[in-house]
Amino acid sequence: VGGMRKNMKDDKTRTLYERLGGDLNIETGVEMLYNKTLQDPRLRSFFEKNQRKMQQLRKKMYQFLSGFLGGPKLYDMANLKPAHYHMNVTDYHFDAILDLFAQALTELGVHPDAIKDVATGCGSIRKDITTGCTVRMELAKKNMEKGKDGLFKRMGGQEGIVVFIDRLYDLIAVDNRMKAKFAGKDIKKMKEAQYVYMTELLGGPKVYKGTDLVEIHKGVGLTDYEFDCFLGNMEKAMTGLGMEDETVDEVVVTAEDIRAPLLNRATGIAAHAKMVDGKSVLERLGGDMNVEAIVEMMYGGFRGDPRVKYFYEFSKEKLEGWKLKMTQFLVGAFGGAVTYEDSKLRLAHYKFNVTDYHFDAFIENFFVSCELMESDLPAV
């Protein structure tokens, strides 16, 4: 059946619900998606629940997708944002879900254009899923710009951190997902090192003189799943000790900073790790000159795009300066020489009223420009 469906034409006059194969295919796709999340270290900690809870989650996702894709409306969309507000779901996790769902639909033989349109459509709910985490983390970062002294005090100082670490390791000892990782280890010694390390990390005196954390975990093979489980137990420990939500968020933000080095990977816009067949994204796009040409095309698109035209109605000299900066940023972000500091991005855009709507229009123009340049689409 899947093989036959692949050969069928995609009728874009129909709803996505119909193009995906209707009720049965969507329900099967959700089932396959959830099975995949349990094997994916990026998402496993969010979905590893008891069987009854998993069934409830599957049912809600199916009900949501049914109405969202143009079929029977079985889910109240007003519940979407509140249901995810207190979860630490980031764009990284959202993109991972889209990736796995696309894999499931591909295996079901759904037409590639329909799968692409599902991903595009789901972009409209991204902020409903990630806003809670984004807002809480941004507020936490803002608070910490004043320094971590206040965080250290709200944790109860050195004594409070000792109590926190003790509670954390009590939770780990009974956590089936983690206790095997700590089996046979000298827990007392680990806790003593953690007392000192966490004191410094959370704004206390800089007294940690032990082995570098990255060095300690080299070769351990940590994954996002294990880091997320550890982070979840940190949150449980703090909540159990009666700490305020703002304090919990600030600790989570601080701990997130050590995820990348512990997992031995680069992250974010400065990442150079996305190599395919030994080539960076920049090389796969055709090098510096091609990126410069893509940016030139994008700016032509901006001037004719009513969604973002307003932002680009400036003098030729001003626009030329912006093109240069964008080219420098993209070349560095894609694996070339870094000549534009990422830290300037937020400040440069702070006074502009740029929303997700405008950002998505920017991405769309980028994608079209890359297609016109016949760039490597997987790299795009």
Side-chain angles (χ1 to χ4, degrees), residues 242-285:
M243 294 183 189
E244 296 180 353
D245 290 345
E246 292 80 4
T247 301
V248 175
D249 288 340
E250 286 179 41
V251 172
V252 169
V253 165
T254 304
E256 272 293 347
D257 288 340
I258 63 174
R259 181 193 292 262
L262 284 189
L263 270 57
N264 191 30
R265 70 166 183 235
T267 61
I269 55 179
H272 301 281
K274 296 182 175 65
M275 303 287 286
V276 173
D277 296 330
K279 292 184 177 180
S280 67
V281 174
L282 179 65
E283 291 169 319
R284 291 158 63 201
L285 288 176

Side-chain angles (χ1 to χ4, degrees), residues 119-189:
T120 302
C122 285
S124 65
I125 60 155
R126 178 186 293 269
K127 61 184 179 182
D128 291 326
I129 305 295
T130 62
T131 289
C133 180
T134 302
V135 169
R136 289 185 294 104
M137 297 304 118
E138 284 301 317
L139 285 173
K141 288 176 186 175
K142 196 72 179 172
N143 288 337
M144 289 193 296
E145 284 175 7
K146 304 166 189 172
K148 293 182 183 175
D149 304 11
L151 175 59
F152 181 63
K153 289 175 184 174
R154 290 197 304 280
M155 289 291 294
Q158 204 129 23
E159 289 181 8
I161 286 178
V162 169
V163 173
F164 160 59
I165 295 295
D166 285 345
R167 178 67 66 91
L168 170 61
Y169 276 83
D170 286 345
L171 290 169
I172 288 171
V174 294
D175 187 335
N176 290 327
R177 303 168 303 173
M178 299 197 71
K179 59 185 183 183
K181 204 80 177 176
F182 290 82
K185 301 289 193 300
D186 188 339
I187 299 299
K188 183 180 178 183
K189 187 177 178 181

Side-chain angles (χ1 to χ4, degrees), residues 32-64:
M32 292 169 69
L33 165 64
Y34 271 71
N35 290 339
K36 289 176 183 293
T37 63
L38 295 177
Q39 305 301 318
D40 193 309
R42 298 171 296 177
L43 298 165
R44 186 176 161 193
S45 69
F46 291 97
F47 292 92
E48 203 169 47
K49 314 288 182 186
N50 63 54
Q51 193 170 0
R52 184 177 177 184
K53 183 69 173 176
M54 285 288 284
Q55 283 301 119
Q56 290 174 344
L57 291 173
R58 285 190 181 99
K59 182 179 179 181
K60 286 179 180 177
M61 182 173 278
Y62 158 70
Q63 290 173 334
F64 159 71

Side-chain angles (χ1 to χ4, degrees), residues 24 78 89 93 110 116 130 142 150 181 183 204 207 231 280 320 343-344 347 359-360 375:
L24 183 60
V89 181
H93 302 114
V110 175
K116 182 179 175 182
T130 62
K142 196 72 179 172
K181 204 80 177 176
V207 292
L231 215 55
S280 67
E320 287 301 320
S343 58
K344 296 179 181 177
L347 186 61
F359 188 82
D360 289 342
S375 303

